[in-house]
């Protein structure tokens, strides 16, 4: 029983000041996203927001420089996802380019220590590295006890993070986070890697004023040389692509397309069979990021970071191949877990009979893989349009859970309310409005599930349960044009918060055939027109709408298909409904 989807067309302002050289459809798409002037399409890096309003950023820079000048050791503590990996690699590479040598990194193993800076990780860091300063990237804003332990040992802590803070802030030497109350930085949409990028800019600025580079006979490094790492981490973490983030992503894509930049990213793109010259933000999100994430999900993120730190093609390709293989393993595990989770949901629905789908799902099997719970939670949420928490067994009887939510239901706030009602139920939790993680005792799963269902049901209403697909309307026959598809692709980067142009319309299904096991290739005809267009529907094998000689209401994107040095228009079908 999949959730029914309602197609809603986006509203558009009555006027705009966009140039007449742009296609009318492009102008319609842009105005629907609030882009009304040519200046708002300016993605030059010179217009990036500055550090001036970023609270604690210069304080953090001064603390780090003080440790460097006293020949102290810095340890970067990162996260085991793509944002954490790019943040860690960016910190190591950029600080090294500034002539800072006493620097190392440590990533907690997902299966042993869990997410972020913890007291246990502080002990390990102290034993193995004896750091004078711990610099967290993409984590740490809720690490109250860990920071306290570091202070007891005599380790300074600078936290850089972009996650929402808890009620109590850690007593770190500096907190750099755009989401902190009172921070006047113009955007709170930075990914963890974006926060690190800004801190590095502040460090470079301070070192330059001190004459550091002149004393060491070093050129002042250009941080734009590492902007591809920022682009990858930003897109991978699904933060909103406001104009500031789009500037960094666009610059990163431009660097990668030039054949320069991070050699590890190029190796990962090669493994995925992606063409550098036609590279898009979606390629980073769906081809590169999953390979990096596979290291943290199936093994240890150190392999992903080592790939990003590689300095020659042989090494980078060797590490990229290992990541590619890990990602294939992840796909198999994910598919099995997803099928089992769907089966459990169907059993729940059958048991409830006329009540239909519950307002949320809390699912667990004792043989599920801890590293894949987040992906499966996302899949269940997408299929049934309900918030979902998927649990797997961790160490010592602790369950590790990953939660995903639908628009309008703040999942971290749900977990916070559960913690308020029963303070002993959840060991740790944290996250965003749409995604969160938590851990609890295996003996508490039933209690948690009941409380989760109760709180979600109180906050749920019919409007939230109705899944909508927002489109940019229909297209005239003349709009099915390769030139328009290319123009729309050049407006990129599209992504979270700045969605790619999506249209809807009724088509005749002239021909359909399965390709690549799960995908469907189609030839479509337009009613009241002799025009035909090729289309592809990914992962649509189990759908029922692609019946030949039928009509279907389709939601689609215009894309440019590159095949044997030939370009052609192709529709990417996102959703279909049979209408006869």
């Amino acid at each position: 029983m999949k959730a029914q989807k309602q197609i809603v067309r986006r509203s558009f302002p009555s006027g705009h000041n966009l140039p007449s050289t742009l296609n009318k459809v492009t102008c319609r798409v842009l105005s629907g996203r609030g882009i009304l002037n040519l200046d708002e399409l300016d993605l030059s890096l010179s217009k990036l927001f500055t550090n001036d309003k970023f609270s604690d950023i210069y304080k953090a820079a001064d603390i780090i420089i003080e440790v460097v000048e006293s020949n102290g050791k810095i340890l970067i503590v990162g996260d085991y996802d793509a944002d954490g990996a790019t943040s860690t690699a960016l910190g190591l590479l950029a600080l090294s380019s500034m002539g800072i040598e006493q620097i190392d990194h440590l990533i907690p193993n997902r299966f042993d220590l869990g997410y972020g800076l913890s007291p246990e990780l502080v002990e390990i860091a102290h034993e193995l590295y004896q750091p004078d300063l711990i610099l967290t990237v993409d984590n740490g804003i809720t690490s109250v006890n860990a920071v306290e332990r570091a202070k007891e040992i005599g380790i300074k802590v600078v936290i850089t993070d972009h996650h929402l803070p808890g009620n109590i802030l850690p007593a770190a030497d500096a907190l750099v986070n755009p989401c902190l109350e009172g921070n006047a930085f113009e955007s709170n949409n930075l990914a963890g890697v974006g926060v690190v990028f800004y801190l590095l800019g502040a460090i470079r600025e301070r070192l330059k004023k001190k004459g550091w580079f002149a004393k060491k006979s070093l050129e002042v490094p250009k941080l734009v040389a590492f902007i591809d790492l920022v682009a990858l981490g930003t897109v991978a973490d699904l933060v909103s692509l406001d104009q500031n983030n789009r500037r960094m992503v666009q610059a990163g894509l431009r660097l990668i397309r030039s054949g320069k930049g991070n050699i590890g990213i190029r190796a990962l793109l090669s493994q995925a069979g992606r063409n550098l010259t036609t590279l898009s933000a979606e390629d980073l999100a769906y081809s590169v990021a999953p390979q990096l994430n596979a290291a943290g999900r199936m093994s240890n993120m150190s392999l992903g970071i080592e790939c990003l730190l590689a300095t020659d093609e042989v090494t980078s390709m060797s590490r990229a191949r290992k990541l590619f293989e890990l990602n294939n393993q992840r796909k198999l595990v994910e598919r099995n877990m997803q099928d089992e989770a769907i089966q459990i949901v169907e059993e729940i629905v059958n048991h409830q009979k006329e009540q239909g789908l519950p307002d949320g799902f809390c699912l667990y099997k004792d043989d599920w893989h801890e590293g894949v719970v987040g992906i499966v939670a996302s899949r269940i949420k997408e299929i049934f349009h309900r918030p979902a928490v998927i649990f797997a067994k961790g160490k010592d009887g602790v369950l590790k859970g990953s939660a995903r939510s639908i628009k309008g239901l703040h999942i971290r706030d749900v977990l916070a309310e559960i913690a308020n009602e029963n303070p002993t139920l959840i060991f740790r939790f944290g996250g965003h409005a749409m995604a969160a993680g938590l851990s609890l005792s295996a003996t508490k799963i039933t209690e948690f599930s009941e409380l989760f269902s109760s709180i979600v049901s109180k906050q749920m209403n019919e409007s939230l349960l109705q899944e909508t697909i927002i489109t940019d309307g229909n297209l005239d026959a003349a709009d099915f044009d390769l030139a328009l598809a290319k123009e729309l692709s050049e407006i990129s980067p599209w992504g979270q918060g700045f969605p790619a142009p999506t249209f809807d319309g009724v088509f005749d299904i002239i021909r359909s055939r399965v390709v690549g096991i799960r995908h469907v290739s189609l030839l479509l005809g337009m009613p009241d027109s002799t025009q035909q267009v090729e289309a592809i529907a990914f992962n649509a094998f189990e759908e029922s709408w692609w019946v030949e000689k039928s009509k279907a209401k389709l939601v689609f994107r215009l894309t440019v298909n590159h095949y044997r040095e030939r370009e052609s228009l192709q529709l990417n079908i996102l959703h279909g409904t049979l209408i006869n």
Side-chain angles (χ1 to χ4, degrees):
M1 180 190 286
K2 291 187 177 182
Q4 297 300 309
K5 299 180 181 181
Q6 179 184 12
I7 297 173
V8 176
R9 291 180 174 178
R10 196 184 306 275
S11 60
F12 305 97
S14 56
H16 60 76
N17 293 316
L18 294 166
S20 58
T21 53
L22 289 176
N23 187 292
K24 62 178 175 51
V25 174
T26 303
C27 292
R28 186 175 89 199
V29 166
L30 289 172
S31 64
R33 287 152 183 76
I35 306 295
L36 304 178
N37 302 291
L38 187 61
D39 287 348
E40 294 172 283
L41 286 175
D42 183 357
L43 298 183
S44 58
L45 281 178
S46 61
K47 301 287 184 64
L48 270 184
F49 297 147
T50 62
N51 283 325
D52 301 347
K53 298 177 182 178
F54 212 137
S55 62
D56 259 15
I57 201 162
Y58 285 108
K59 179 182 178 182
D62 290 339
I63 292 167
I64 291 168
I65 291 170
E66 182 183 334
V67 171
V68 169
E69 289 180 327
S70 62
N71 203 34
K73 296 179 181 178
I74 297 174
L75 181 68
I76 295 178
V77 173
D79 184 20
Y80 41 65
D81 66 0
D83 188 14
T86 52
S87 299
T88 302
L90 174 64
L92 291 168
L93 291 168
L95 289 174
S96 295
S97 75
M98 297 180 199
I100 297 172
E101 299 174 352
Q102 293 270 62
I103 183 168
D104 214 322
H105 71 286
L106 176 62
I107 309 295
N109 186 297
R110 176 194 294 267
F111 311 106
D112 297 329
L113 295 169
Y115 166 78
L117 186 68
S118 63
E120 296 83 2
L121 193 67
V122 170
E123 299 291 350
I124 292 171
H126 180 57
E127 180 181 344
L128 297 181
Y129 299 94
Q130 289 84 46
D132 297 284
L133 181 144
I134 287 175
L135 171 63
T136 73
V137 296
D138 192 32
N139 75 96
I141 199 61
T142 60
S143 301
V144 176
N145 295 334
V147 171
E148 183 180 344
R149 180 58 187 144
K151 292 291 194 175
E152 290 172 355
I153 298 174
I155 303 173
K156 294 181 178 181
V157 181
V158 170
I159 287 174
T160 73
D161 202 349
H162 71 122
H163 295 95
L164 296 174
N167 295 327
I168 302 174
L169 293 176
D173 295 270
L175 295 171
V176 184
N177 186 331
C179 295
L180 288 177
E181 186 176 352
N183 195 326
F185 186 69
E186 293 91 334
S187 171
N188 63 357
N189 293 319
L190 290 176
V193 70
V195 179
V196 176
F197 184 73
Y198 271 90
L199 175 59
L200 289 165
I203 293 171
R204 184 186 62 175
E205 182 183 337
R206 289 291 210 235
L207 288 175
K208 186 177 179 181
K209 285 182 180 179
K210 283 175 167 283
W212 169 272
F213 301 111
K215 291 174 188 174
K216 288 185 167 284
S217 299
L218 289 173
E219 286 189 20
V220 179
K222 295 180 179 179
L223 294 182
V224 72
F226 309 105
I227 199 73
D228 49 352
L229 288 166
V230 182
L232 173 55
T234 298
V235 171
D237 216 50
L238 299 179
V239 295
S240 182
L241 290 188
D242 60 18
Q243 192 173 22
N244 203 58
N245 277 339
R246 281 168 45 232
R247 286 187 174 116
M248 293 189 286
V249 172
Q250 182 72 298
L253 289 170
R254 196 160 48 239
L255 179 61
I256 298 169
R257 290 180 192 134
S258 73
K260 300 176 183 177
N262 189 277
I263 194 171
I265 292 178
R266 296 206 304 273
L268 291 168
L269 284 165
S270 175
Q271 285 295 310
R274 291 297 178 266
N275 188 329
L276 293 187
T277 58
T278 60
L279 183 72
S280 68
E282 283 193 340
D283 290 322
L284 295 183
Y286 299 112
S287 297
V288 179
Q291 293 182 72
L292 273 183
N293 282 327
R297 295 185 186 283
M298 308 301 292
S299 179
N300 190 301
M301 183 46 87
S302 295
L303 177 60
I305 294 170
E306 287 170 4
C307 183
L308 297 177
L309 296 178
T311 57
D312 64 85
E313 289 191 9
V314 173
T315 303
S316 65
M317 286 301 293
S318 173
R319 293 169 180 173
R321 274 193 295 271
K322 291 178 183 177
L323 290 170
F324 188 77
E325 291 166 3
L326 279 175
N327 194 41
N328 285 335
Q329 292 177 28
R330 185 272 304 170
K331 289 178 182 178
L332 289 174
V333 172
E334 175 200 331
R335 185 68 193 174
N336 290 333
M337 283 177 58
Q338 179 179 317
D339 289 345
E340 292 175 349
I342 290 173
Q343 184 178 353
I344 294 173
V345 169
E346 290 173 347
E347 290 171 358
I348 292 172
V349 173
N350 290 336
H351 179 71
Q352 295 186 169
K353 295 181 180 178
E354 73 279 355
Q355 295 179 30
L357 286 171
D359 291 333
F361 295 108
C362 179
L363 309 176
Y364 164 68
K365 274 193 71 178
D366 59 10
D367 62 345
W368 279 352
H369 195 292
E370 179 185 336
V372 187
V373 288
I375 305 178
V376 175
S378 293
R379 298 287 187 263
I380 296 300
K381 183 264 296 187
E382 290 165 4
I383 292 170
F384 299 103
H385 193 63
R386 296 292 190 277
V389 188
I390 305 294
F391 283 99
K393 187 181 293 183
K395 293 179 62 179
D396 303 322
V398 174
L399 298 186
K400 301 293 183 65
S402 193
R404 297 293 184 271
S405 192
I406 60 177
K407 187 176 181 180
L409 185 82
H410 197 300
I411 196 67
R412 184 192 172 279
D413 286 355
V414 169
L415 297 181
E417 189 171 342
I418 292 173
N420 287 334
E421 289 202 21
N422 188 339
T424 63
L425 184 57
I426 302 176
F427 293 151
R428 295 178 69 189
F429 72 93
H432 302 286
M434 301 298 286
L438 70 155
S439 60
L440 51 81
S441 169
T443 61
K444 301 287 187 178
I445 181 66
T446 301
E447 189 176 353
F448 173 86
S449 180
E450 292 173 352
L451 195 49
F452 174 78
S453 297
S454 172
I455 290 172
V456 166
S457 294
K458 289 177 185 175
Q459 298 186 15
M460 196 66 73
N461 58 55
E462 286 300 318
S463 64
L464 297 182
L465 291 175
Q466 176 61 65
E467 183 177 5
T468 58
I469 301 176
I470 299 175
T471 78
D472 295 291
N474 66 336
L475 293 177
D476 297 331
D479 296 327
F480 289 85
D481 178 61
L482 178 61
L484 175 58
K486 294 175 77 170
E487 181 174 279
L488 290 173
S489 70
E490 289 165 1
I491 298 291
S492 68
W494 306 99
Q496 192 78 9
F498 194 71
T502 304
F503 308 97
D504 68 83
V506 175
F507 296 86
D508 296 312
I509 300 176
I510 299 171
R511 185 185 70 236
S512 61
R513 62 186 179 89
V514 177
V515 294
I517 302 177
R518 302 190 57 80
H519 314 312
V520 180
S521 173
L522 302 124
L523 179 64
L524 303 175
M526 300 174 203
D528 304 320
S529 171
T530 59
Q531 192 169 343
Q532 298 178 349
V533 62
E534 299 281 347
I536 185 75
F538 294 107
N539 297 308
F541 174 71
E542 296 174 356
E543 302 291 335
S544 58
W545 56 262
W546 46 274
V547 181
E548 290 187 1
K549 314 304 180 187
S550 299
K551 286 187 186 296
K553 179 73 172 286
L554 302 179
V555 176
F556 62 92
R557 291 177 185 161
L558 298 179
T559 64
V560 180
N561 183 37
H562 301 271
Y563 182 68
R564 293 182 179 175
E565 300 183 358
R566 176 178 169 268
E567 293 181 339
S568 61
L569 176 68
Q570 184 179 64
L571 306 191
N572 182 357
I573 310 300
L574 306 178
H575 173 70
T577 306
L578 203 61
I579 59 174
N580 69 325

